[in-house]
Amino acid sequence: MDPSLSVLALGGLLTLALAQTFQFQEDAFLRFLGLDKTPSPLKLQRVPYILKKIVQDREAAAANEVTQDLCYLRELGVPGNLIRLLADHGFYFYSNKISQDNVCLQKALFFNLSAVHEKEQLTMAQLGLDLGPNSYFHLGPALELSLSMVQEPYRWGRSTPKPGRSLALQSVPWPQGTLRFNLLDVAQHWKNNPGKNLGLLLEILVKDDRDSGVHVPLEDTCARLRRSLHASLLVVTLDPQQCHLPPRQRRAAIPVPSPSCRNLCHRHQLFIHFRDLGWHKWIIAPKGFMANYCHGDCPFSLTTSLNSSSYAFMQALMHTVDPQVPQAVCIPTKLSPISMLYQDNDDNVILRHYEDMVVDECGCG
């Protein structure tokens, strides 16, 4: 065989092996994040300001080494370590003409809670209805909003699903911005009884107010409202298994080795750019993080001064007696968490806290 062909074949096999290794490691990391495959969202969802603020507050606290209660969301005032912004998978009910009772909009809202595990405790479920930007310069007619649970499964051919328990009935000026409704008990019911999650029915009527002097064609108002309406469900849960962790024993930090001791065990900087991995398409924040890694020698003569455990010292001692006993190795001795804001394959925006993602200190073990 031509030597050049052999080199090309070997290079191809090496490339294939590296690709398979990366794929295996990527799949393992995605499972760690709670994902079954790499998300490939068709469109980027709106991220509420509150989620961005939580990420920014946690990054600032970590940078300033401020102790955080990662099982309580101070910005929302509820316990929790996992936030999901569930997308609405409902649909509109259209009519050929506006009805006599001024029903402007009828929409089925549906939020899939199947991703919420049984062990997770619901602490907040807030429906957000964005009716468009609040404006004092383009006033519209007053609206009457009705929100109810769907009582029976919808059958095609019926004008609207049969409404059940009423959740809200209120008048609002329009444009109004975002309206919020507490649906914690509803979401808890759906979580405990997935088969009874038939969604919600939203109806918006235009109130006839001839005394206001403002006349806007009803068809134009309804068309604008349909274009601007955006619904989402903010769900906060608490996973008790990730809380009440035993306090980690803090060891003294290892000073950066002098040039003559560069080969000794210590922490090395490693910044992970999500763009380099192709994950920037679904990870919203952060763009990357300083993960760091541990590397270096653990000689017996310096084991006790390299932030080592008592076991590592005994292992190093046994290695001097029996070379078949492996030497102590350089490993992380203190890790810290990060929070990640990302989008999954169901168009949901998720803010999740992950332990042990950043190496803070290294030692021999």
Side-chain angles (χ1 to χ4, degrees):
M1 179 185 254
D2 189 337
S4 61
L5 294 178
S6 299
V7 172
L8 289 175
L10 181 60
L13 290 174
L14 180 60
T15 301
L16 179 61
L18 291 175
Q20 291 176 341
T21 301
F22 175 80
Q23 185 64 50
F24 174 78
Q25 293 175 340
E26 182 182 33
D27 291 344
F29 182 72
L30 290 173
R31 286 194 297 272
F32 169 74
L33 296 183
L35 300 170
D36 56 354
K37 60 181 178 179
T38 303
S40 54
L42 298 177
K43 63 177 181 178
L44 294 179
Q45 297 296 320
R46 304 178 187 180
V47 180
Y49 168 76
I50 187 64
L51 296 188
K52 296 179 180 179
K53 177 171 173 50
I54 292 173
V55 173
Q56 293 170 355
D57 290 349
R58 289 184 172 180
E59 288 180 344
N64 297 322
E65 297 185 355
V66 176
T67 302
Q68 305 179 69
D69 184 354
L70 298 172
C71 291
Y72 184 81
L73 296 167
R74 176 177 52 83
E75 295 84 355
L76 296 173
V78 296
N81 49 16
L82 177 56
I83 306 176
R84 296 180 178 91
L85 185 68
L86 303 182
D88 170 32
H89 294 284
F91 50 89
Y92 284 98
F93 298 96
Y94 288 99
S95 173
N96 293 329
K97 61 180 181 178
I98 302 299
S99 62
Q100 296 298 321
D101 54 1
N102 289 350
V103 175
C104 187
L105 178 151
Q106 292 179 314
K107 189 178 192 304
L109 307 178
F110 183 80
F111 303 99
N112 186 359
L113 271 69
S114 61
V116 179
H117 298 158
E118 183 179 355
K119 63 182 179 181
E120 297 178 36
Q121 300 173 2
L122 274 170
T123 60
M124 181 177 179
Q126 186 182 79
L127 174 66
L129 295 178
D130 187 353
L131 302 181
N134 202 343
S135 173
Y136 294 100
F137 302 100
H138 300 88
L139 296 178
L143 306 176
E144 185 171 278
L145 183 147
S146 172
L147 182 68
S148 57
M149 297 180 65
V150 175
Q151 185 174 354
E152 296 178 357
Y154 173 73
R155 296 191 301 271
W156 291 105
R158 176 185 289 179
S159 56
T160 57
K162 185 177 181 180
R165 173 187 164 193
S166 177
L167 301 175
L169 179 62
Q170 65 183 73
S171 297
V172 294
W174 186 69
Q176 173 63 28
T178 302
L179 303 174
R180 306 189 189 280
F181 303 90
N182 179 12
L183 296 186
L184 181 58
D185 59 336
V186 175
Q188 186 65 58
H189 174 69
W190 288 343
K191 177 176 178 290
N192 296 337
N193 306 276
K196 295 185 178 181
N197 181 5
L198 303 178
L200 307 170
L201 176 62
L202 172 66
E203 295 182 294
I204 297 181
L205 288 72
V206 177
K207 299 182 69 175
D208 187 11
D209 189 4
R210 295 185 176 86
D211 297 334
S212 65
V214 178
H215 176 69
V216 180
L218 190 58
E219 291 80 1
D220 294 346
T221 298
C222 298
R224 286 174 53 200
L225 192 57
R226 289 192 187 99
R227 289 194 301 267
S228 61
L229 178 65
H230 178 79
S232 60
L233 185 67
L234 184 67
V235 176
V236 180
T237 62
L238 177 69
D239 186 350
Q241 294 182 358
Q242 296 183 5
C243 299
H244 310 297
L245 297 175
R248 296 189 179 108
Q249 183 178 359
R250 184 181 180 91
R251 297 189 179 104
I254 302 177
V256 177
S258 62
S260 61
C261 301
R262 287 295 183 183
N263 292 333
L264 296 180
C265 175
H266 68 282
R267 184 186 66 178
H268 299 255
Q269 288 191 346
L270 171 64
F271 189 86
I272 296 180
H273 291 273
F274 290 133
R275 179 172 289 274
D276 294 340
L277 301 173
W279 295 351
H280 63 288
K281 298 176 182 178
W282 55 278
I283 295 181
I284 302 170
K287 302 302 181 185
F289 68 103
M290 187 68 75
N292 303 324
Y293 68 97
C294 297
H295 183 69
D297 299 331
C298 292
F300 170 69
S301 59
L302 294 176
T303 300
T304 55
S305 62
L306 290 178
N307 206 23
S308 305
S309 63
S310 299
Y311 177 80
F313 177 79
M314 294 303 300
Q315 182 178 348
L317 181 63
M318 287 302 300
H319 176 74
T320 62
V321 177
D322 183 0
Q324 292 187 354
V325 176
Q327 288 184 330
V329 295
C330 187
I331 60 173
T333 56
K334 183 175 182 293
L335 298 155
S336 59
I338 66 168
S339 294
M340 289 176 55
L341 183 65
Y342 59 91
Q343 190 167 326
D344 66 9
N345 281 306
D346 294 322
D347 291 333
N348 301 320
V349 176
I350 300 174
L351 176 57
R352 192 165 187 170
H353 169 76
Y354 294 99
E355 292 280 352
D356 302 337
M357 294 287 285
V358 178
V359 174
D360 293 328
E361 299 175 8
C362 301
C364 294

